[in-house]
Structures are given as C-alpha cells and as structure tokens.
C-alpha cells in the first residue's frame, strides 16, 4: 500500500450507531446467567416435562451474582428468564409452569425481580433472555395462538421490571419457524425503546456466529445478516427496518460447552489464560463479550467460578489500567512520545464511532535506534482494537492511517507494558 492516505469524499454516506448502541458498546463486558429448571436436572436442554417441584434453590442470592459481576468489571447482566423448556423464572399469568408452582418461597418468589433489583442497586444494566422456542407450551404447535401467548409473556417482562439494557432472542430450536416479529419488535420498541435487540426480528446487535466468544478480524459494525444458531448455517431474515449498524456480541460459557451448572464439572472451567485470549479476540476485535457464569443448585455462583471471574477482571485491570502514554485526535498521523524509553507490548486503539467506522487501514510504527519501524498493520479499529506486540523497547510510537473514509477521529491511542 502506498503511503498516501486514501480517502473518500467528505460527503460519503455511512452507517451510524444510535446513542443507545454507543452506550451499549461502551459497556464491553456483560455477564450471562443461565439458571432455571435445567440447573436442577443436570441437563442443558430440558424437554419441558420436568416438575416445578424440582426448582428449589434454598440459598439463592441475586446480589451475590450481580456484585461479583460488578467487582470483575462487568457492566451488564443478562438472565435466562425463560429457556427452551418453557419454565419461567417469574410468576407469569400465562402458564403454571413457573416459579409460582415451585416450593421456593412457597411459590411467592420472582427470580427476575430479584435480579432486576440487584442490578438497579449495583448500577449494572439488566437484560433478559426470552426463548421464542417453548418445548412445554401446548399451543406452540399453533403459530397464531403461540404468538399471542409469547407476546403476553414478553409484555409482562417488558413492563414489570424497570429499564432493560438488552432483550436476547435465541434462534436455537426455531429453525424454519416464523414468529410474528413485527408484533414482537413493536412491543420492545413501545415499552423498552432503549434496549438492545439481539439477533432476531429487527436486531440492533447481532450474534457473532459461534459460542466460543471469538470475533473474526476485521469485525465491522455493519451487517445485513447473521447466523441464527449453532444448528443451522442459514442466515436469519431480518425485517427491512433493521439498521445497517448492528454490532456483534460474543457469547461463551466459563465452563466449556456448558451453559447451565452441572455437578462434578469443575474440570471444564476455562483457565485465566483462555479467558484472556477470548477477551483479546472479542473486546479486542471491537465486539462485546457476554461471558456466561451459572449459579448452582443452591442459587449461588460456585466459588471457583466466581474466583475465576474476579481473576479475569483483575488481570484486565492490571494490563490496561495504566497506560505509559495516551492521546487521541484527528489526522492521518498521531504520535506518542514516552517520558522515557520503555518496553511496550500492547497498543489500544479506539475510533470515535459516533461518526461511523472511517478507518479502513492503519499501521503502527515504533521509533527505535533512530528510525521508524513497522510493528503491525490492521484494518478495522471500530470501537476498540487491541494489538499485542512482541515486546519492544521504544521512546516513540505512532499511528499512521493509510486508508480511511472522510476524516476519522481517534478516540484513544494508548500504549502499555504488561511486564
């Protein structure tokens, strides 16, 4: 590539995020919480025929879940209010297959409310997962009746638990099924207009396409389609009003391949090194990471899972809380001069995406031994790009934009040493 900065005209029309999308992308880290009937049956996908009498977490503490997430640096929390088995974690009026029929608190409990209250108290965004597929509900075989049923459930959740940051529509099990998405999305827009809509209907955020927590690179914020589930290669058919700006969310369980808690499963817990690699390849590729940590049958995050989550938060802070130097601004060249030469091994770049993704190609160069040498080159910066470098001693480092649209603004250009 030649060194002249390649630009499009300043009137170039591009996709732009909404203020709500910008706020959501800045959260970067969310905690997914799979909890429900499966927790008590040692299974991932119940068939909807397990007795509500089995649901009896005697020590459930939603504040422990949310406080642990907050302490680890996670800024939003998504609860499986209803998974594919149809069991509801709130006392819905639509079915008796819910916590109201369980022995917990003599049927007077409401796990969704406890989580919503904990999130509000801790200043953490609250989101809900509401499976469209329902293996328990008899009317599921009648699309029109089930659409009515599902919309009643959704409206209860949208109106009864305060502001929601995200509504998670899982496509698994719904391959080939057509729901009344215009009606469903209409309810979300009516009652929770600031909430992100995950991947179905008219989404404002999309699934990254795997359950490993990994975004490809580049991972642009614009998209026209996304996969619906792990069980089909087909792309979802989104409604025409879906925006062009649809950033990616990367979901992954902290215990390999297990979304719900299982007894005697501690060996599947991901290591800190594995989690940091996921962080680099999700948040570090401009996406958002939704890490699943599941409560056990007591209703508590297992001690080893909570400890690993806190270790992850601490390691992220250790590596990225204290830049050696930082700047931002516009122009094709930004230079950072360190107070004194130091060993650097990370660079964090952030574009001001309020104006869209304008950077198309960039180069990082280091000043050492009296000359500039290329360290790394890339394409997308987007919300965030983390470049991990072979440690190099330098007194200056510069960012050179070699291809862009209009006039990009770099929100952050920072260098770090994790040594």
């Amino acid at each position: 590539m030649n060194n002249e900065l390649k630009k499009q005209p300043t009137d170039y029309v591009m996709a732009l995020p909404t203020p709500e999308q910008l706020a959501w992308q800045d959260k970067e880290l969310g905690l997914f919480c799979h909890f429900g009937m499966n927790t008590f049956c040692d299974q991932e996908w119940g068939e909807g025929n397990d007795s509500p009498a089995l649901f009896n977490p005697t020590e459930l503490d939603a504040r422990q879940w949310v406080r642990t997430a907050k302490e680890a640096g996670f800024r939003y929390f998504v609860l499986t209010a209803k998974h594919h088995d149809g069991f509801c974690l709130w006392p819905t009026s639509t079915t008796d297959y819910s916590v109201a029929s369980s022995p917990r608190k003599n049927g007077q409990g409401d796990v969704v409310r406890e989580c919503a209250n904990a999130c509000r108290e801790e200043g953490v965004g609250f989101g809900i997962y509401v499976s469209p597929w329902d293996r328990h509900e008899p009317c599921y075989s009648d699309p029109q009746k089930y659409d009515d049923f599902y919309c009643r459930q959704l409206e209860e959740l949208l109106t009864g638990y305060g502001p929601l940051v995200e509504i998670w529509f899982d496509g698994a099990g719904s391959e080939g099924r057509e729901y009344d998405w215009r009606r469903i999305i209409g309810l979300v827009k009516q009652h929770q207009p600031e909430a992100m809509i995950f991947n179905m209907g008219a989404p404002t955020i999309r699934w990254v396409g795997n359950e490993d927590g990994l975004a490809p690179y580049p991972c642009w914020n614009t998209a026209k389609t996304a996969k619906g589930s792990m069980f089909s290669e087909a792309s979802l058919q989104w409604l025409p009003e879906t925006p062009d700006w649809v950033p990616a969310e990367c979901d992954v369980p902290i215990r390999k391949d297990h979304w719900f808690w299982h007894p005697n499963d501690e060996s599947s817990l991901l290591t800190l090194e594995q989690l940091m690699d996921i962080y680099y390849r999700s948040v570090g590729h401009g996406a958002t990471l939704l890490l699943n940590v599941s409560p056990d049958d007591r209703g508590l995050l297992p001690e080893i899972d909570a400890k690993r989550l806190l270790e992850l938060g601490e390691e992220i802070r250790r590596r990225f809380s204290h830049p050696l130097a930082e700047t931002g601004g516009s122009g094709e060249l930004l230079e950072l001069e360190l107070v004194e030469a130091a060993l650097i091994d990370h660079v964090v770049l952030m574009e001001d995406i309020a104006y869209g993704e304008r950077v198309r190609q960039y180069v990082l160069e280091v000043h050492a031994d009296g000359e500039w040498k290329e360290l790394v080159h890339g394409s997308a910066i987007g919300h965030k790009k983390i470049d991990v470098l072979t440690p190099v001693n330098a007194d200056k480092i510069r960012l050179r934009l070699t291809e862009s649209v209009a006039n990009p603004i770099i929100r952050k250009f920072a260098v770090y040493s994790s040594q």
Side-chain angles (χ1 to χ4, degrees):
M1 164 117 20
N2 114 13
N3 290 334
E4 291 299 315
L5 182 66
K6 296 185 178 180
K7 294 184 179 180
Q8 297 287 342
T10 54
D11 61 352
Y12 184 89
V13 178
M14 66 180 70
L16 298 176
T18 64
E20 293 78 22
Q21 287 173 316
L22 283 174
W24 179 84
Q25 288 187 263
D26 269 347
K27 293 184 185 300
E28 294 189 349
L29 294 170
L31 196 78
F32 216 174
C33 186
H34 277 63
F35 184 67
M37 187 61 69
N38 292 332
T39 307
F40 300 86
C41 300
D42 195 13
Q43 62 194 13
E44 289 287 297
W45 281 15
E47 295 182 3
N49 54 13
D50 297 303
S51 170
L54 297 172
F55 184 87
N56 191 23
T58 56
E59 301 177 54
L60 194 153
D61 185 356
R63 287 178 177 82
Q64 184 238 9
W65 308 351
V66 177
R67 285 173 181 164
T68 305
K70 182 179 181 180
E71 188 177 343
F74 286 64
R75 300 181 181 92
Y76 68 105
F77 181 99
V78 179
L79 173 71
T80 53
K82 185 185 83 165
H83 204 253
H84 310 318
D85 58 12
F87 185 79
C88 299
L89 292 184
W90 77 103
T92 176
S93 65
T94 62
T95 176
D96 60 3
Y97 201 53
S98 80
V99 290
S101 299
S102 78
R104 183 178 184 252
K105 294 188 174 182
N106 296 314
Q108 300 303 304
D110 185 340
V111 180
V112 177
R113 185 165 306 286
E114 291 173 47
C115 285
N117 290 345
C119 286
R120 184 167 55 251
E121 291 168 10
E122 296 296 330
V124 172
F126 181 53
I128 53 171
Y129 167 119
V130 197
S131 172
W133 185 33
D134 190 320
R135 305 182 81 180
H136 173 83
E137 178 51 41
C139 77
Y140 186 79
S141 59
D142 184 325
Q144 184 173 347
K145 287 184 178 179
Y146 182 73
D147 281 336
D148 291 342
F149 172 88
Y150 186 72
C151 284
R152 289 198 304 273
Q153 288 192 331
L154 187 60
E155 194 158 20
E156 289 177 352
L157 292 167
L158 295 174
T159 59
Y161 297 94
L164 299 174
V165 71
E166 184 169 328
I167 317 295
W168 225 88
F169 295 121
D170 189 344
S174 293
E175 293 81 4
R177 175 68 174 248
E178 292 293 331
Y179 301 99
D180 189 350
W181 282 113
R182 199 169 297 279
R183 179 180 174 189
I184 292 167
I185 298 301
L187 288 173
V188 177
K189 295 296 186 185
Q190 177 184 353
H191 299 297
Q192 296 285 345
E194 295 184 358
M196 294 297 99
I197 300 169
F198 178 82
N199 210 49
M200 299 186 80
T204 53
I205 57 176
R206 73 184 192 270
W207 185 42
V208 76
N210 61 71
E211 293 182 348
D212 302 315
L214 306 179
Y217 183 76
C219 184
W220 303 103
N221 285 291
T222 51
K224 297 294 185 183
T225 60
K227 282 177 59 178
S229 78
M230 291 291 291
F231 311 98
S232 172
E233 289 300 317
S235 294
L236 292 172
Q237 298 302 306
W238 292 340
L239 294 177
E241 53 265 37
T242 301
D244 291 333
W245 187 277
V246 193
E249 183 178 61
C250 303
D251 59 326
V252 60
I254 200 168
R255 295 193 182 191
K256 186 172 176 58
D257 299 327
H258 287 172
W259 293 95
F260 286 90
W261 175 81
H262 296 268
N264 306 312
D265 185 43
E266 290 81 0
S267 64
S268 69
L269 187 66
L270 297 182
T271 66
L272 177 59
E273 292 73 21
Q274 289 172 317
L275 290 171
M276 283 304 301
D277 181 62
I278 288 169
Y279 176 79
Y280 284 127
R281 297 166 68 187
S282 55
V283 175
H285 285 179
T288 298
L289 175 60
L290 185 61
L291 178 64
N292 185 77
V293 184
S294 296
D296 58 25
D297 56 0
R298 299 172 300 168
L300 298 173
L301 297 183
E303 288 79 1
I304 62 168
D305 299 58
K307 182 173 182 289
R308 185 59 43 80
L309 183 65
L310 293 172
E311 289 172 347
L312 172 63
E314 178 57 33
E315 185 62 15
I316 292 170
R317 286 189 291 270
R318 187 187 74 80
R319 296 189 191 186
F320 297 108
S321 290
H322 304 290
L324 298 173
E326 180 177 344
T327 191
S330 59
E332 65 184 76
L333 187 66
L334 290 177
E335 185 175 308
L336 274 176
E337 184 169 357
L338 281 62
V339 174
E340 58 183 4
L343 198 67
I344 62 173
D345 55 15
H346 288 82
V347 173
V348 174
L349 301 173
M350 297 180 72
E351 192 174 349
D352 190 344
I353 55 174
Y355 302 98
E357 285 185 292
R358 299 188 172 200
V359 177
R360 294 290 183 265
Q361 299 283 343
Y362 72 89
V363 174
L364 287 171
E365 298 169 324
V366 67
H367 190 261
D369 301 322
E371 61 179 336
W372 290 99
K373 300 176 182 178
E374 180 177 321
L375 285 175
V376 67
H377 62 271
S379 53
I381 292 178
H383 178 263
K384 179 171 282 187
K385 176 66 187 333
I386 300 176
D387 281 310
V388 182
L389 312 175
T390 300
V392 58
N393 197 63
D395 55 8
K396 294 179 185 178
I397 185 170
R398 68 185 184 187
L399 167 67
R400 193 159 53 82
L401 306 182
T402 55
E403 184 176 348
S404 72
V405 174
N407 298 300
I409 299 174
I410 300 302
R411 177 179 170 186
K412 181 175 185 175
F413 169 27
V415 297
Y416 301 81
S417 174
S418 65
Q419 304 302 309

